Amino acid sequence: MLTLENKQLVVPKDGIYNLTLNSTNPYLDLFFCQNRKYPLFTIPNDTLIVYIDLDLSKNLQNSIKYEGKTGLINDYYREKFTRFNYRDIAIPATNYTSSSYSIYEGAKKIDSLFNEEKKFLLNYKKKSYLPPWFTELEKLDLYYHNADFKLGVIFSRNDFNRENTKANDPYFNFLDSVPIDNPKAYLSIHYFEFLISYFYLQNIEKYDTNQIGFARAYSILKINLPNILKRLSGETRKLLLAYQFSWINFQTKIVSQTVRLDSLFETVGNYINDSALVIAVKNNRNAQNERLENKSSLNKGEKAPEFFLSDLNGKFHTLKEFNGKLIYISFWATWCSPCIKSIPKKNTLIREYGNKQIEFINISFDKEKDKWQKMIKDQNISGLNLICNGNWEDILKTKYYIQGIPRYILLNKNGEIIDSDAPSPGKKAELIRLIDKYMNLKN
């Protein structure tokens, strides 16, 4: 079986099988085969042919061959993955974000990792042909990913370790040489992720740290909009605005929130003078509104959807095995700052309840298992830690109506919904009242 973008293709025998993907830009993804990951770089309006020999006696990695406009690019990524033994440089780079390194020492280590990848690209280019447009894109992607990661280190350490690095700290001097408005980088996803981090940094002391979900995302964008409009121009500005508004659309939980976002979008309409982008943003908005109008959450008393997820030791768990206990589910991810900020308060809550009849379950939407395991160890995250394998993330987001994280759900002893948008650990008094009320009820 082959899996890509949560689509599964069953291959019962030798033959030719087709899988269609929606793509508007060059994009690197992975496909899974025999429990291993392999690169798949695609471009719009192209047919990529992948030959795979599924004979278990042979080396699958060596048997894969690509043909098409991006065939040579996929060969590059396959060799790169083999050379570095990871798909995402964030996995080794995360090792240098802990407080065992100063922020300056960590930054140097991170720079060295990205320099190794750039060196690999240049050496590969000497021996094998790569399209010039791709080589430039890969250089830009590495450059902005590096800059974005160094910003993310500070945001994470401020959240995890309660450090307080200010925006005027000399650490950020490296930004003086980073091009902010760079139309040449418009195809780089890491460029736009860097821009979001960069503008977030400019007003880092103005945000309400108690906000989560839509309220937080909306507030941050509203505060940063004047700076975005001033510092960016042309395609860069249009694409970033469209990207941010589309993303925040999916954080909405009630129709009134989309109305607020619509009002903010109207204030920047003159800057997105591209009918295709405006239509794309509005289509995302309408699709989200339709979901919200039809149903936005599980109702009290409904049976909670089942899951089958693995823990740190690879053991699989189902919801029904906790019948007879209250269940407090936290949906989270290692890249979610509000999720991480809540960990100490949740750990305290778990200690206070001890062995009482309540199970605390943390369900992660992380793609990289190594990062998830490291975070649990570093932050000493209490409770039962589970991760979504395969397409379980999409299944649970759909069945539990999850638009953003963190998301907390409280179930009764029969596995039925008490509150599908339960109080967070930060609202301790409110949450304890709710838990104690149902803990004391007789079945």
Side-chain angles (χ1 to χ4, degrees), residues 224-273:
N224 291 335
L225 260 182
N227 207 14
I228 291 173
L229 299 178
K230 179 181 178 182
R231 295 293 306 276
L232 300 181
S233 62
E235 289 296 311
T236 304
R237 181 168 57 196
K238 287 191 292 187
L239 288 168
L240 181 64
L241 289 172
Y243 176 84
Q244 290 219 268
F245 274 96
S246 293
W247 181 77
I248 296 176
N249 263 323
F250 288 103
Q251 305 298 307
T252 57
K253 292 183 179 179
I254 52 178
V255 174
S256 62
Q257 291 176 338
T258 65
V259 174
R260 286 182 66 196
L261 196 58
D262 284 346
S263 297
L264 190 60
F265 185 67
E266 291 300 320
T267 67
V268 300
N270 291 336
Y271 296 96
I272 310 181
N273 56 348

Side-chain angles (χ1 to χ4, degrees), residues 177-214:
S177 60
V178 177
I180 305 303
D181 190 5
N182 187 358
K184 293 181 180 179
Y186 81 98
L187 287 177
S188 167
I189 185 63
H190 286 299
Y191 169 57
F192 288 99
E193 290 175 350
F194 162 76
L195 289 178
I196 291 170
S197 298
Y198 174 80
F199 288 114
Y200 177 86
L201 172 68
Q202 308 310 305
N203 295 295
I204 195 168
E205 295 170 28
K206 296 181 181 179
Y207 310 129
D208 182 350
T209 57
N210 293 315
Q211 290 180 323
I212 61 173
F214 171 83

Side-chain angles (χ1 to χ4, degrees), residues 235-432:
E235 289 296 311
T236 304
R237 181 168 57 196
K238 287 191 292 187
L239 288 168
L240 181 64
L241 289 172
Y243 176 84
Q244 290 219 268
F245 274 96
S246 293
W247 181 77
I248 296 176
N249 263 323
F250 288 103
Q251 305 298 307
T252 57
K253 292 183 179 179
I254 52 178
V255 174
S256 62
Q257 291 176 338
T258 65
V259 174
R260 286 182 66 196
L261 196 58
D262 284 346
S263 297
L264 190 60
F265 185 67
E266 291 300 320
T267 67
V268 300
N270 291 336
Y271 296 96
I272 310 181
N273 56 348
D274 184 314
S275 58
L277 280 177
V278 172
I279 290 171
V281 172
K282 290 187 175 180
N283 283 346
N284 285 335
R285 179 253 193 223
N286 292 338
Q288 179 67 358
N289 246 16
E290 187 175 341
R291 284 190 288 268
L292 294 174
E293 287 170 348
N294 290 335
K295 189 176 183 182
S296 61
S297 63
L298 291 166
N299 296 320
K300 183 177 180 179
E302 280 190 71
K303 198 74 174 177
E306 186 57 274
F307 55 69
F308 186 68
L309 306 175
S310 62
D311 62 19
L312 285 166
N313 299 314
K315 179 183 177 182
F316 282 83
H317 297 268
T318 61
L319 193 59
K320 63 184 178 183
E321 71 185 71
F322 304 104
N323 281 352
K325 291 183 177 182
L326 294 187
I327 302 172
Y328 184 67
I329 303 176
S330 306
F331 290 98
W332 74 293
T334 59
W335 43 261
C336 166
S337 293
C339 301
I340 305 308
K341 185 180 178 183
S342 72
I343 290 172
K345 294 175 182 177
K346 187 166 58 180
N347 282 348
T348 299
L349 190 70
I350 294 173
R351 284 197 301 271
E352 290 178 359
Y353 274 98
N355 295 321
K356 292 184 180 178
Q357 291 298 298
I358 181 168
E359 189 75 29
F360 292 88
I361 302 177
N362 310 310
I363 298 178
S364 169
F365 289 148
D366 277 280
K367 301 293 185 188
E368 301 292 346
K369 192 173 181 179
D370 292 345
K371 289 176 67 176
W372 169 68
Q373 292 171 327
K374 185 175 187 302
M375 178 69 72
I376 292 170
K377 180 180 178 182
D378 290 349
Q379 298 298 316
N380 192 28
I381 301 176
S382 302
L384 176 63
N385 289 290
L386 305 177
I387 191 168
C388 292
N389 306 286
N391 60 349
W392 271 107
E393 176 181 348
D394 278 349
I395 292 172
L396 294 184
K397 281 183 175 179
T398 300
K399 290 191 173 183
Y400 281 91
Y401 300 91
I402 296 171
Q403 303 299 331
I405 54 176
R407 178 74 174 273
Y408 304 98
I409 295 176
L410 185 63
L411 310 180
N412 67 19
K413 296 176 184 179
N414 297 317
E416 299 163 342
I417 300 292
I418 293 174
D419 192 338
S420 63
D421 194 8
S424 69
K427 298 178 180 178
K428 184 177 177 182
E430 182 182 350
L431 178 57
I432 286 177

